[in-house]
């Protein structure tokens, strides 16, 4: 039998395989949800996490599944969506690196209220509900971070409901382009549509043909310049007027 000292600790071995064990310590990748936590607490989080990789089109969880844990996207994109009675897909939100998915249902002790699917090969961290709740009980600062995040998510979804129910499609698209420009790592007026046109149409509650017509109108009226997936905002004030519903696109 091998001496105990020669046998790698199972948890360390697992984290090493998953890329969470760096320079002899368990390491948590940068996640906004955990910003401001001391290194010791971040290491505790890394100890309960495991990496899960999903191929493009693979379902992460389905509506009605038990919320046994939540995910944080490390690389790739994940869409959360509902299916109508006719099978039509309505995308609720698209999540990218650093963003948690499914945390609300997990902490409420409920089942997932929607489906989640990888839009491309995606690497995630999975946090089991029971272990995470125990950490929250010990670390009030982590609980405050969660409350801040959930509050922000509530405002985002309230805005989504307003956009889908009260605004016309041109206003929804203008608001989405402005949103992309605000989070762009490049120049504020330069952005890239990082999802397929059909997925963007679903996110905005329309169809690809209508989306194409509206983009063409915006370009013709000098609001934007389109080159493939890349868009440059030419008239930000005008686009903001369209987003607010104060300006209509000419036919």
């Amino acid at each position: 039998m091998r001496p105990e000292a020669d046998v790698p600790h199972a948890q360390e071995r697992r984290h090493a395989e998953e890329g969470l064990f760096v320079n002899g310590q368990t390491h948590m990748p940068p996640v906004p949800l955990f910003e401001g936590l001391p290194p010791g607490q971040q290491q505790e989080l890394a100890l309960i996490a495991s990496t899960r990789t999903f191929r493009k089109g693979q379902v992460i969880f389905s509506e009605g599944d038990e919320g046994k844990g939540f995910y944080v996207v490390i690389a790739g994109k994940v869409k959360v969506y509902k299916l109508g009675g006719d099978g039509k897909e309505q995308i609720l939100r698209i999540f990218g690196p650093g963003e948690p998915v499914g945390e609300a249902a997990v902490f409420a002790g409920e089942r997932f209220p929607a489906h989640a699917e990888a839009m491309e090969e995606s690497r995630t961290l999975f946090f089991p509900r029971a272990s995470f709740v125990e950490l929250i009980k010990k670390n009030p600062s982590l609980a405050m971070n969660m409350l801040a995040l959930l509050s922000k998510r509530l405002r985002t979804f309230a805005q989504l409901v307003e956009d889908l129910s009260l605004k016309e499609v041109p206003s929804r698209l203008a608001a989405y382009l402005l949103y992309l420009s605000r989070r762009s790592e490049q120049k504020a007026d330069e952005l890239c549509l990082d999802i397929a046109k059909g997925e963007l149409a679903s996110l905005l509650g329309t169809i690809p043909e209508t989306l194409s017509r509206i983009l063409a109108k915006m370009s013709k009226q000098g609001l934007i310049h389109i080159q493939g997936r890349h868009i440059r905002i030419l008239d930000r004030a005008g686009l903001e007027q369209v987003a607010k519903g104060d300006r209509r696109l000419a036919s």
Side-chain angles (χ1 to χ4, degrees), residues 200-248:
L200 177 57
S202 174
L203 180 64
L204 299 176
T206 187
I207 58 176
E209 294 77 11
T210 298
L211 182 65
S212 295
R213 286 196 297 270
I214 296 171
L215 283 169
K217 286 182 180 180
M218 287 181 172
S219 178
K220 184 178 180 180
Q221 294 176 37
L223 296 172
I224 60 175
H225 173 74
I226 306 172
Q227 187 171 11
R229 286 178 174 259
H230 296 275
I231 293 178
R232 183 166 72 251
I233 297 176
L234 302 176
D235 182 357
R236 178 172 291 272
L239 201 62
E240 289 174 346
Q241 287 180 327
V242 175
K244 294 176 182 177
D246 295 337
R247 172 177 172 176
R248 299 178 68 88

Side-chain angles (χ1 to χ4, degrees), residues 45-57:
L45 285 163
L47 286 170
I48 68 170
S50 60
T51 58
R52 297 189 180 184
T53 301
F54 300 90
R55 64 184 181 277
K56 180 180 179 179

